[in-house]
Structures are given as structure tokens and as C-alpha cells.
């Protein structure tokens, strides 16, 4: 199977399933996070050490960010949003390792994550309000807006996938081009930019996912909230 | 740039597995530890609150006790001041009494001193008066005056009662003394006879008579019969007058 810098290489196939470097890198990330979590949580103490303090700090920061957007559903959304942020940070930064491509430079991976966000919005919305009340919000404030709602659902999901893919892929491509043109160590500044961009993109993706999910959760609630209370 | 359905589906599965793994091995254990710590903190906070409440109660009790002590101290101070005031008044009164007593004693002493001074002055005046009178009478004294005084003496002897004469007689019998007659001027024979007769009449017995002249008597005479002395001289009269005046004071 042919591959270019824009499409990841297929490492092996299991019948119709082609396992690409993106999948293998993702497995590596998952394995690393699992091992790190297992090692960390095996030594949890009430008086935390530096590593546990850092882990609790990460968890606390994620929980606080979720609580700021969806105060009543912080515990419910934490596993999904937290995992999204952690995975995206690690996946985006993994491209800095020599010989490793970031999974998020693959449109299939970012599309998968975007689809998961899309599905999560509906899953949490229906779970919170019920099917009919949730679907009814597509008809508000007027049924005429239904097509726009549907287009919005699709475009924002596509935007999520393409934004992350475009940024990470372009960074890696820029670094590769500079390496080819200018030589060894020349792309170091662009790699520094890669770190910042990786963190920013992970934050944007996670925060947008959170906002979409919180919007789905609170759509029916907002419809029933009086105008005065909303202004407050 | 193409979409790989295998990658797409496997990535979905990968992510869902990662969600499960992190939830199982990261979020839950950490949340449990945080929750336990929070419970511990809340428990310690509750204990601290309880301790604080107890401390507040204790503080209130101590403040109340302190207030009571202050009140007791104030009452004790008031009582002490009252006692001091009473003691001061008592001491002041005692001092005033003592001063009054001393003042009275001083007045009495002063009065006595004045009285004594006055008495001494009067006595001195009497003595001076007596000396003056003696001096004056000395110039006017003579046998005639002595005769008149002898007459007075003889009259006095006659007027002696039996009760007055008896002790004289008994005394003379016991002592067998001499009758001593002192005169300022020499007594003539008739004068001596009248006198001896009068004495014999009083004493009922004859005794030896011893006549002596003493110009200090100024005029008149003095008869000494044992311990008994009868004076009828100017000097004795003046002495008697002075003593009488002193006795009258």
C-alpha cells in the first residue's frame, strides 16, 4: 500500500482491517497512560508526593474547567473530557519524538475523535433530558431553524476534525520541510512552536467538545428558564 | 489525505478503551483519595470547630470567672477602703481624745503651776507683809505692849477648860519638865507673879520657871510647858496670821 507524508503507513493488516502507524502510536500512548496510571495509583497516599500532587493538580484543573462550563455535570463529563485532553496533549506532543508521527496528524483519527464528540453531545443530552425533550430543542426557537441546526451539527464536527488535523499536520510538514531545506537542528524553533501549538490545539479541541456537550445538556434547561434568571 | 475507515473505527475503539482505562485506573482512585482526604479534612475541621467551640466556652468561663474575680476584688477593695476609713476615723478620734486629755492635763498642770506660783507669790507676799508688819511693829513695840499681851495671855489661861488643862498636867507629871518663859522684854516681879499664879492654877502644881529674853519676839512672851507651847507675842501672832492666811487659801 502506498503512503505519503500526508497519509500514514499501513504497518500490517488483519483481514479487512489495516493497522496504520496512527493506530500503533495510539496503542503506545494508551499503554503508556495505562502504565503510568497504574503505577501512580498503586502508591496513592493521603499525604501526596510530588507525582501524586501533579496528578491531582491535573485532575483538579480539568474538573474545575468542566465545572466552570457545566457546573451540575462535572463528575459525569470528567472521564470523557479529561481523557480527551490528556490523550490529545500526549498525542500532539508525540510527534516531537524522532520517528514517531502524531496520531492527530491523521484525519481519520481526528475525525474519529470528532465523531465521538458529536455522539457524546447527543448521548449526554438524551441521557440528561430524555429523547423527545432533547430533540425538541432542534425546533426552537422556530422549526424553520431545524436545517440550520443540522448543518451546524455537521459543520462543527467537521471543523473539529479538520482544525486539529490541519494544525498538527502542518506543523509536522513545516518541520520536515525546514529539515530538508536547512538541515539538522534548523527546525528546533518550529518544534518549540509545535509544543505550544500542541497544547493549544488540545485545549481548543477539549474545550469545544465540552462546550458542545454542555450546550446539549443545558439546551432544554435554558428553554424553561425565565428570561430574568437568564439575564442574571 | 484520505479517510481510512479502519483507522477511524480503531481510533474510536482505542479512545473508548482509554476512557475506560483512565476512569478505572486514574480518575476513580485519585477521586477516592481526594475524597478521603477531604473527609479527613472535614473531620479535622469539625474537630477543630468543636475544639474551637470548647475553647470559646472555656474562654467565656474564664472571662466570667475573671469578671467575678474583678467584682470580688472591687468589693474587697471597697471593704478595705471602708475599714481603712473607719480605722482612720477611730484613730483620729482616739488621737483627738488623747490630745484633748493631754490638753486638759496640760491645762490642769498649767493651772496647778499658776496656782502654785500664785500661792508662792501670796506666801512670799504674806512673808513680806509679815516682815513688814514685824518691822513696823518692832518700832512700835515696847513693855506696854508686852503688858497688854501678858494680860491677853493670862485671860487665855483662865479661859482654858478642864479638858484642855488635864492633858497638860498629865504631860508635865510624866516629863517633870521645866516651864520655859521667853519674853521680848524683861518681865517685872508682879508680871512674873501673875504669870506663875495663872500657870499654877492651870497645872495644879509648882514647877521651876526658867525666864529667857528673846528680842525676836518683838513684844509679848511665849510659854513652853513640855511639848505644849502657848504664844502671846507679836512674832508668834504674825506667824499664826501668816499660817492662817495660807490655810485659808
Amino acid at each position: 500500500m502506498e503512503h505519503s507524508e500526508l497519509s500514514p503507513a499501513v504497518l500490517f493488516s488483519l483481514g479487512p482491517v489495516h493497522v496504520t502507524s496512527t493506530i500503533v502510536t495510539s496503542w503506545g500512548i494508551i499503554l503508556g497512560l495505562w502504565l503510568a496510571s497504574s503505577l501512580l495509583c498503586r502508591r496513592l497516599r493521603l499525604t501526596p508526593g510530588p507525582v501524586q500532587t501533579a496528578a491531582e493538580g491535573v485532575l483538579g484543573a480539568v474538573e474545575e474547567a468542566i465545572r466552570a462550563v457545566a457546573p451540575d455535570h462535572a463528575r459525569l463529563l470528567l472521564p470523557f473530557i479529561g481523557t480527551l485532553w490528556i490523550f490529545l496533549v500526549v498525542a500532539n506532543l508525540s510527534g516531537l519524538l524522532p520517528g514517531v508521527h502524531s496520531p492527530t496528524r491523521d484525519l481519520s483519527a481526528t475525525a474519529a475523535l470528532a465523531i465521538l464528540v458529536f455522539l457524546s453531545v447527543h448521548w449526554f443530552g438524551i441521557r440528561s433530558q430524555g429523547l423527545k425533550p432533547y430533540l425538541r430543542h432542534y425546533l426552537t426557537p422556530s422549526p424553520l431553524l431545524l436545517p440550520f441546526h443540522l448543518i451546524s451539527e455537521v459543520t462543527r464536527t467537521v471543523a473539529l476534525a479538520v482544525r486539529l488535523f490541519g494544525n498538527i499536520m502542518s506543523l509536522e510538514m513545516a518541520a520536515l520541510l525546514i529539515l530538508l531545506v536547512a538541515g539538522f537542528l534548523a527546525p528546533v524553533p518550529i518544534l518549540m512552536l509545535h509544543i505550544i501549538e500542541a497544547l493549544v490545539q488540545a485545549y481548543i479541541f477539549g474545550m469545544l467538545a465540552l462546550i458542545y456537550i454542555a450546550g446539549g445538556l443545558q439546551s432544554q434547561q435554558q428553554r424553561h428558564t425565565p428570561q430574568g434568571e437568564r439575564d442574571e | 489525505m484520505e479517510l481510512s475507515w479502519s483507522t477511524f473505527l480503531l481510533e474510536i475503539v482505542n479512545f473508548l478503551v482509554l476512557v475506560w482505562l483512565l476512569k478505572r485506573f486514574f480518575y476513580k482512585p485519585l477521586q477516592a483519595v481526594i475524597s478521603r482526604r477531604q473527609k479527613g479534612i472535614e473531620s479535622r475541621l469539625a474537630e477543630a470547630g468543636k475544639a474551637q467551640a470548647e475553647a470559646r466556652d472555656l474562654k467565656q468561663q474564664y472571662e466570667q470567672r475573671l469578671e467575678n474575680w474583678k467584682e470580688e476584688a472591687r468589693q474587697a477593695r471597697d471593704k478595705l477602703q471602708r475599714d481603712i476609713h473607719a480605722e482612720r476615723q477611730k484613730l483620729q478620734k482616739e488621737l483627738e481624745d488623747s490630745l484633748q486629755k493631754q490638753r486638759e492635763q496640760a491645762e490642769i498642770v498649767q493651772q496647778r503651776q499658776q496656782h502654785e506660783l500664785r500661792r508662792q507669790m501670796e506666801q512670799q507676799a504674806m512673808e513680806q507683809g509679815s516682815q513688814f508688819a514685824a518691822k513696823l511693829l518692832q518700832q512700835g513695840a515696847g513693855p506696854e505692849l508686852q503688858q497688854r499681851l501678858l494680860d491677853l495671855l493670862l485671860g487665855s489661861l483662865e479661859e482654858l477648860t478642864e479638858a484642855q488643862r488635864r492633858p497638860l498636867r498629865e504631860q508635865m507629871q510624866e516629863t517633870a519638865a521645866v516651864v520655859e518663859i521667853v519674853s521680848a522684854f524683861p518681865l517685872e516681879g508682879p508680871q512674873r507673879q501673875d504669870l506663875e499664879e495663872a500657870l499654877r492654877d492651870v497645872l495644879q502644881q509648882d514647877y521651876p520657871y526658867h525666864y529667857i529674853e528673846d528680842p525676836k519676839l518683838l513684844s509679848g512672851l511665849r510659854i513652853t510647858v513640855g511639848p505644849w507651847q502657848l504664844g502671846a507675842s507679836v512674832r508668834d501672832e504674825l506667824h499664826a496670821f501668816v499660817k492662817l492666811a495660807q490655810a485659808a487659801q
Side-chain angles (χ1 to χ4, degrees):
Chain A
M1 188 173 287
E2 291 180 6
H3 87 280
S4 66
E5 282 304 321
L6 289 176
S7 57
V10 176
L11 298 179
F12 60 91
S13 296
L14 294 170
V17 179
H18 304 295
V19 178
T20 60
S21 60
T22 302
I23 296 300
V24 172
T25 308
S26 295
W27 286 345
I29 291 168
I30 290 167
L31 186 65
L33 288 173
W34 176 48
L35 286 174
S37 300
S38 299
L39 287 172
L40 173 71
C41 293
R42 200 173 292 171
R43 300 178 197 169
L44 289 180
R45 285 174 300 181
L46 286 176
T47 308
V51 178
Q52 186 182 336
T53 304
E56 287 182 10
V58 168
L59 186 68
V62 171
E63 200 168 345
E64 278 301 309
I66 297 170
R67 189 168 282 115
V69 178
D72 300 332
H73 306 91
R75 282 294 168 102
L76 178 70
L77 301 180
L78 176 70
F80 182 74
I81 301 296
T83 305
L84 207 53
W85 262 323
I86 291 169
F87 175 75
L88 285 175
V89 166
V90 177
N92 290 348
L93 292 174
S94 66
L96 295 171
L97 297 173
V100 178
H101 289 296
S102 171
T104 48
R105 74 185 283 277
D106 187 346
L107 183 62
S108 304
T110 57
L113 293 175
I115 284 294
L116 279 172
V117 171
F118 172 78
L119 294 174
S120 298
V121 170
H122 304 304
W123 165 254
F124 286 116
I126 292 166
R127 184 178 163 180
S128 171
Q129 303 164 30
L131 181 62
K132 281 186 179 179
Y134 175 73
L135 292 176
R136 199 175 295 133
H137 91 272
Y138 285 106
L139 304 176
T140 57
S142 166
L144 293 174
L145 292 175
L146 176 62
F148 297 99
H149 277 301
L150 295 176
I151 291 167
S152 166
E153 292 287 342
V154 174
T155 53
R156 74 185 187 185
T157 306
V158 171
L160 265 182
V162 173
R163 184 189 300 111
L164 182 60
F165 158 72
N167 278 286
I168 302 302
M169 189 271 292
S170 63
L171 277 171
E172 285 198 6
M173 285 295 291
L176 180 64
L177 289 173
I178 291 169
L179 181 65
L180 289 173
V181 172
F184 187 62
L185 292 180
V188 169
I190 205 78
L191 292 178
M192 301 291 282
L193 182 65
H194 190 146
I195 294 172
I196 298 168
E197 186 67 16
L199 296 174
V200 169
Q201 288 305 318
Y203 178 76
I204 289 172
F205 193 99
M207 187 53 75
L208 284 173
L210 175 61
I211 290 167
Y212 297 157
I213 291 169
L217 283 169
Q218 295 167 2
S219 60
Q220 197 68 13
Q221 186 182 340
Q222 280 182 351
R223 206 164 70 86
H224 291 293
T225 305
Q227 186 65 35
E229 287 182 19
R230 245 183 291 169
D231 292 342
E232 288 172 4
Chain B
M1 186 181 73
E2 60 186 26
L3 196 63
S4 165
W5 291 107
S6 299
T7 305
F8 178 80
L9 293 171
L10 284 172
E11 199 62 43
I12 289 173
V13 173
N14 283 347
F15 186 80
L16 291 176
V17 168
L18 182 62
V19 169
W20 182 83
L21 284 174
L22 288 183
K23 188 176 178 182
R24 169 75 177 78
F25 293 102
F26 186 68
Y27 302 129
K28 278 191 176 176
L30 271 181
Q31 283 177 334
V33 166
I34 291 169
S35 178
R36 276 210 309 276
R37 188 185 303 131
Q38 204 150 7
K39 279 181 185 170
I41 289 168
E42 284 170 2
S43 168
R44 265 176 275 173
L45 276 174
E47 287 174 8
K50 193 178 169 186
Q52 193 179 10
E54 287 175 0
R56 202 179 297 120
D57 289 346
L58 277 174
K59 186 186 171 192
Q60 201 171 353
Q61 283 179 10
Y62 288 146
E63 283 176 351
Q64 184 64 39
R65 206 174 293 171
L66 194 63
E67 284 295 319
N68 291 341
W69 285 343
K70 280 181 182 173
E71 180 62 24
E72 285 175 11
R74 192 184 63 74
Q75 288 178 355
R77 194 165 51 244
D78 291 347
K79 184 176 179 300
L80 181 65
Q81 285 179 348
R82 283 198 300 274
D83 291 348
I84 288 170
H85 184 67
E87 186 68 19
R88 189 193 297 138
Q89 284 190 332
K90 183 185 165 191
L91 288 173
Q92 200 168 355
K93 191 170 183 313
E94 284 178 1
L95 183 62
E96 284 175 359
D97 291 346
S98 172
L99 286 172
Q100 182 65 23
K101 200 176 283 182
Q102 286 181 5
R103 204 178 293 124
E104 288 173 356
Q105 284 177 351
E107 284 178 3
I108 290 169
V109 168
Q110 193 178 5
Q111 283 176 358
R112 280 182 185 169
Q113 285 176 347
Q114 287 178 352
H115 185 264
E116 183 65 22
L117 186 63
R118 191 168 63 241
R119 192 188 64 75
Q120 286 177 358
M121 289 173 70
E122 285 176 353
Q123 187 177 357
Q124 195 175 0
M126 288 286 184
E127 285 175 357
Q128 285 179 350
S130 170
Q131 287 174 2
F132 178 75
K135 198 110 180 173
L136 187 67
L137 288 172
Q138 190 177 9
Q139 292 176 357
E144 298 81 15
L145 180 59
Q146 184 167 284
Q147 182 59 49
R148 281 198 293 276
L149 290 170
L150 179 62
D151 293 342
L152 282 172
L153 178 63
L154 291 174
S156 298
L157 287 172
E158 284 178 4
E159 288 172 0
L160 287 174
T161 60
E162 184 57 28
Q164 291 173 322
R165 293 180 182 187
R166 193 179 305 119
L168 280 174
R169 284 199 292 270
E170 288 172 0
Q171 189 70 32
M172 286 303 290
Q173 285 172 358
E174 285 175 6
T175 57
V178 177
V179 177
E180 189 180 89
I181 300 165
V182 182
S183 61
F185 300 99
L187 292 173
E188 302 295 331
Q191 289 176 329
R192 291 190 179 190
Q193 283 180 351
D194 292 342
L195 183 60
E196 287 174 4
E197 281 178 9
L199 288 169
R200 197 177 299 118
D201 184 50
V202 171
L203 299 174
Q204 299 287 323
Q205 198 174 345
D206 273 332
Y207 288 96
Y209 298 99
H210 183 60
Y211 290 95
I212 301 169
E213 290 179 13
D214 187 0
K216 289 181 181 172
L217 296 179
L218 300 177
S219 184
L221 66 165
R222 181 192 299 148
I223 298 170
T224 304
V225 181
W228 182 71
Q229 202 172 53
L230 180 62
S233 66
V234 172
R235 171 70 63 189
D236 289 340
E237 290 302 321
L238 285 173
H239 278 180
F241 173 71
V242 169
K243 283 182 180 173
L244 193 64
Q246 286 175 350
Q249 291 170 2

